[in-house]
């Protein structure tokens, strides 16, 4: 059974930091590109970051570029998202998603991408991040 389990969300003040994790099982983690997608209340899914199978190519939406860093540990089958300089508009449910069906290279130079569920093969259940005073 494929499982992606996010953790690390919570309440943080503007300007603060959080690190999200996504523990996976049931598929060959090192063979898939991995992604973070978020959904703010009342809004659609927004792709924010991707990393290739080897972990040496990363892609970011403009909304998080320079503040967030995606990484992976293939030995631990785990994906990470380090979030710094958090803003109130970063408040959302954050999902990890495996295998962008169009190919990770399609995300290169992508400044913004409104994702759909079918764009990715596997999804986690999400972890809530709230940025507020």
């Amino acid at each position: 059974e494929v499982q992606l389990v996010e953790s690390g969300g919570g309440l943080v003040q503007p300007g603060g930091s959080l690190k999200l994790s996504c523990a996976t099982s049931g598929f060959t983690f090192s063979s898939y590109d991995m992604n973070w997608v978020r959904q703010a209340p009342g809004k659609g899914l927004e792709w924010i970051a991707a990393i290739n199978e080897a972990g040496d190519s990363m892609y970011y939406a403009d909304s998080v570029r320079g503040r967030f860093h995606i990484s992976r540990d293939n030995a631990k089958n785990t994906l990470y998202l380090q979030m710094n300089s958090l803003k109130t508009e970063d408040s959302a449910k954050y999902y990890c998603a495996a295998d962008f069906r169009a190919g990770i290279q399609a995300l290169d130079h992508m400044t913004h991408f409104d994702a759909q569920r079918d764009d990715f093969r596997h999804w986690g259940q999400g972890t809530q991040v709230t940025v507020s005073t």
Side-chain angles (χ1 to χ4, degrees):
E1 179 187 6
V2 171
Q3 288 193 323
L4 294 83
V5 180
E6 300 92 338
S7 61
L11 175 64
V12 63
Q13 292 187 342
S17 297
L18 277 177
K19 186 173 184 177
L20 306 184
S21 299
C22 173
T24 73
S25 61
F27 66 103
T28 306
F29 179 77
S30 59
S31 295
Y32 289 92
D33 61 84
M34 294 297 296
N35 302 261
W36 287 98
V37 181
R38 68 185 181 185
Q39 186 169 29
K43 296 191 176 181
L45 295 166
E46 178 192 14
W47 166 83
I48 57 170
I51 188 167
N52 68 345
E53 294 87 335
D56 54 8
S57 292
M58 289 78 77
Y59 309 87
Y60 298 94
D62 279 357
S63 58
V64 305
R65 192 186 312 276
R67 300 187 299 121
F68 290 12
H69 178 68
I70 187 171
S71 62
R72 66 191 296 161
D73 186 336
N74 285 346
K76 296 182 178 179
N77 295 333
T78 302
L79 177 73
Y80 303 99
L81 184 69
Q82 176 67 46
M83 305 187 295
N84 301 321
S85 303
L86 282 160
K87 306 175 181 179
T88 55
E89 53 262 43
D90 293 319
S91 295
K93 195 163 190 179
Y94 284 72
Y95 299 90
C96 63
D99 190 19
F100 182 52
R101 295 181 187 272
I104 193 173
Q105 286 75 17
L107 295 169
D108 196 11
H109 304 300
M110 187 78 74
T111 59
H112 178 84
F113 176 51
D114 292 323
Q116 303 292 328
R117 281 276 170 176
D118 286 345
D119 288 326
F120 301 93
R121 188 179 303 275
H122 304 305
W123 289 81
Q125 294 301 307
T127 186
Q128 182 67 41
V129 171
T130 302
V131 185
S132 175
T133 57

